[in-house]
Amino acid sequence: MDVTVKILVLILAVAGGLVYRNVTQLWADLPAPKLDPQEWWGDEAQPKDYEAYLQNSSEVIGNRLSYPDKTIADLKERLNRTLRLTPPLEGVAFEYGFNTDYLREVVEYWRDDYLPRWREREVFLWQFNHFTTDIQGLRTHFLHLMVYDDNKVGKKHYPVLLLHGWPGSVREFYDFIHLLHQTNLDKNNKYIFNVVVPSLPGYGWSQGTSRKGLGPAQVAVMMRNLMLRLGYDKFFIQGGDWGSIIGSNIATLYPENVLGYHSNMCNNLSPKSLAKGLVAEFLPSLFVPSGFEDFFFPKSNELRYLMEESGYFHIQATKPDTIGAALTDNPVGLAAYILEKFSTWTNPSYRSLPDGGLTKRYKMDALLDNLMIYYLTNSITTSQRLYAEQYAQAQRDLHLERVPTRVPTGCARFKSDIMQFLDVQLKDKYPNLVHSTYHKKGGHFAALEVPKVLYKDFIDFVKTVERKFKIKTL
């Protein structure tokens, strides 16, 4: 072997070693980072005596927020100003976004049918106990439903934290809450739950921060602190969208507090997971139960769908205040922007329908309830900032996607959701994935669209956790 060949072999060996080292470092599991449980997000300066602050701010206050007639009258007046909507292109339904012909119909219903019944809708929204408390400097809103002693007889009783996402709110969970909390109505059901449903920071009636850095990891710290404030040191978690990510973060950072983590949007975006997803397309029978291949493949369809549906994501992750300014005090624009997601994220085929299929799976009043929460609380901008914080460098540096979450995990997949992940991908992140299911009907907003299906899936998960991990009830 001449000198030139020897040098070439040496270069290739060194290069191969460097590539191997970098790949293994990129794929290796990492320990959980330590986040400050007292990190301050309030507008004012952080108190010097934090313990005194905790004692003075630990009060949980019952609330029944209402809005004066002039606020509703002003909204009605704004809804009258819809004459300049640009007509849709010929033959276009929802393919270009919200169809403006149908938007006029929605606005008319909102203005002329829904708003005259607003006081009835208020009563509906306040059917559960609403509270606020101060967590790390921010006023935090939540629903809290507790089980009375006489309803516990013969029941297995656990606390559960329900976490919503964008563009949802606590309203998504109302039917699901009834199933969890009022199971005493069904004598054959052995489960009943104390239910906590917070509005995420900057969403609904929860205060947003004026400081940079409040990303999903920091929100997880706040939600765990809320549960501890309410006296729950062990609890289940259920969530989708941001609720899935924040719930996963709680389970990752504080496994000692989590009985089990259940999500209808489990994901793993680590480099190792993405590589496995690409490999699996060539051998789908090895990775997917028979009959569910179309949940995952072909990947080209999923990629095309994500490209078509992720424009909002990019602008909210880079310029949330710009789109927020465009939607603030603009109820018609806000309706188009939010309600369009309840069309295409529920079923992508609904893009071909002139009404976006909105009332195929939802009642219009339920959609408008959710929209009213964003409008009345002026929370569209603060809610969208969570996207920018998720992709800020400080948040990415936590590498939480590479920290194993070892608590019992359950994943419910709904066919029409935005993206799907294989068990072989999820088990890198969730080694105790003990429950994995597939549902042919349903999309991104499962709690609102198919609450009974989600409830049964969650209960089946709880049963599995009980059997495998011998957990204790309250």
Side-chain angles (χ1 to χ4, degrees):
M1 185 182 297
D2 61 33
V3 174
T4 303
V5 173
K6 289 182 179 179
I7 293 174
L8 181 60
V9 170
L10 180 61
I11 291 173
L12 290 173
V14 172
L18 290 173
V19 169
Y20 176 77
R21 187 189 67 180
N22 289 335
V23 168
T24 53
Q25 287 179 347
L26 189 65
W27 285 20
D29 291 342
L30 296 175
K34 301 294 184 183
L35 273 67
D36 182 1
Q38 300 180 356
E39 190 167 6
W40 187 257
W41 300 108
D43 293 337
E44 66 280 3
Q46 180 170 350
K48 294 181 179 179
D49 188 342
Y50 198 83
E51 290 302 318
Y53 155 75
L54 287 177
Q55 292 177 5
N56 295 330
S57 67
S58 62
E59 183 180 10
V60 174
I61 303 171
N63 276 308
R64 188 183 184 282
L65 304 174
S66 62
Y67 295 88
D69 290 340
K70 65 178 182 180
T71 299
I72 306 305
D74 178 73
L75 171 56
K76 185 173 183 179
E77 179 60 29
R78 292 174 188 272
L79 293 175
N80 282 323
R81 304 170 192 161
T82 59
L83 297 178
R84 297 185 63 195
L85 289 174
T86 302
L89 294 175
E90 195 174 304
V92 170
F94 265 58
E95 294 91 346
Y96 279 49
F98 206 105
N99 182 288
T100 48
D101 285 344
Y102 184 59
L103 182 57
R104 288 181 186 275
E105 295 182 29
V106 171
V107 169
E108 288 174 5
Y109 179 83
W110 190 5
R111 181 190 62 214
D112 301 333
D113 190 312
Y114 180 92
L115 282 185
R117 296 182 288 109
W118 169 243
R119 295 308 173 195
E120 296 175 17
R121 300 314 300 170
E122 271 191 330
V123 171
F124 177 86
L125 289 171
W126 307 129
Q127 66 182 277
F128 301 124
N129 297 321
H130 289 243
F131 300 91
T132 57
T133 192
D134 198 271
I135 302 290
Q136 294 169 250
L138 294 181
R139 183 189 69 255
T140 301
H141 164 265
F142 60 99
L143 313 179
H144 188 196
L145 291 84
M146 299 181 68
V147 178
Y148 295 106
D149 287 341
D150 55 348
N151 288 330
K152 297 179 185 178
V153 178
K155 303 287 185 182
K156 295 182 179 181
H157 178 208
Y158 299 104
V160 59
L161 172 66
L162 305 183
L163 296 168
H164 68 81
W166 186 94
S169 65
V170 297
R171 174 63 181 89
E172 286 181 72
F173 287 114
Y174 272 42
D175 289 344
F176 191 53
I177 291 169
H178 278 295
L179 294 168
L180 290 167
H181 185 66
Q182 297 185 7
T183 46
N184 57 299
L185 299 178
D186 181 358
K187 294 181 179 180
N188 295 319
N189 196 310
K190 299 300 182 184
Y191 292 88
I192 195 164
F193 297 85
N194 282 15
V195 185
V196 180
V197 194
S199 295
L200 299 180
Y203 287 71
W205 297 278
S206 282
Q207 181 184 356
T209 185
S210 56
R211 302 165 185 259
K212 291 178 65 175
L214 182 55
Q218 291 74 23
V219 174
V221 175
M222 292 184 65
M223 296 299 98
R224 184 250 191 175
N225 282 343
L226 171 64
M227 293 301 280
L228 295 179
R229 170 77 51 87
L230 298 177
Y232 303 121
D233 60 357
K234 290 185 180 295
F235 47 90
F236 281 97
I237 299 171
Q238 202 294 318
D241 196 86
W242 281 123
S244 175
I245 295 170
I246 293 165
S248 175
N249 289 345
I250 298 172
T252 302
L253 296 169
Y254 305 107
E256 69 275 11
N257 297 121
V258 180
L259 295 171
Y261 162 65
H262 181 274
S263 175
N264 49 292
M265 201 189 82
C266 286
N267 64 86
N268 181 5
L269 294 172
S270 70
K272 186 194 300 186
S273 165
L274 298 178
K276 285 184 175 182
L278 293 174
V279 171
E281 185 162 18
F282 295 99
L283 296 166
S285 61
L286 296 181
F287 300 101
V288 186
S290 178
F292 299 108
E293 292 86 357
D294 58 344
F295 274 63
F296 306 98
F297 309 117
K299 283 295 179 185
S300 58
N301 287 352
E302 183 178 79
L303 180 61
R304 181 169 62 250
Y305 179 58
L306 288 174
M307 290 293 289
E308 292 171 347
E309 293 301 322
S310 60
Y312 83 97
F313 188 100
H314 187 73
I315 193 169
Q316 290 175 195
T318 56
K319 301 291 189 294
D321 287 22
T322 299
I323 185 63
L327 298 174
T328 298
D329 284 336
N330 177 8
V332 177
L334 187 68
Y337 195 70
I338 286 180
L339 294 184
E340 184 241 313
K341 305 308 178 197
F342 285 87
S343 167
T344 52
W345 293 1
T346 297
N347 192 320
S349 70
Y350 290 171
R351 285 179 295 193
S352 64
L353 302 176
D355 63 356
L358 277 175
T359 55
K360 280 183 173 291
R361 306 293 288 175
Y362 310 109
K363 293 180 179 179
M364 183 56 71
D365 279 4
L367 297 175
L368 292 177
D369 288 343
N370 181 67
L371 185 60
M372 287 290 282
I373 291 173
Y374 278 88
Y375 180 79
L376 292 173
T377 61
N378 192 27
S379 57
I380 187 61
T381 301
T382 51
S383 70
Q384 292 171 152
R385 286 174 177 163
L386 188 58
Y387 288 81
E389 297 299 348
Q390 164 74 340
Y391 291 96
Q393 189 62 51
Q395 197 78 195
R396 296 201 305 270
D397 287 345
L398 296 174
H399 296 296
L400 282 169
E401 73 281 358
R402 292 171 56 191
V403 181
T405 303
R406 302 191 185 281
V407 305
T409 299
C411 295
R413 300 174 184 83
F414 290 86
K415 175 67 170 61
S416 296
D417 206 347
I418 299 170
M419 65 179 73
Q420 308 285 356
F421 287 80
L422 299 157
D423 282 358
V424 71
Q425 296 174 284
L426 294 174
K427 285 182 178 178
D428 289 329
K429 171 66 176 169
Y430 306 104
N432 281 314
L433 179 65
V434 297
H435 177 86
S436 178
T437 56
Y438 301 82
H439 302 281
K440 290 283 190 178
K441 292 185 178 180
H444 190 65
F445 304 99
L448 184 64
E449 182 189 0
V450 285
K452 291 182 179 179
V453 177
L454 183 64
Y455 170 74
K456 182 181 183 305
D457 199 284
F458 177 71
I459 293 298
D460 288 344
F461 167 65
V462 172
K463 290 177 179 178
T464 300
V465 174
E466 286 180 327
R467 186 174 67 253
K468 288 181 174 290
F469 296 91
K470 312 299 182 184
I471 60 174
K472 295 181 180 179
T473 65
L474 285 175

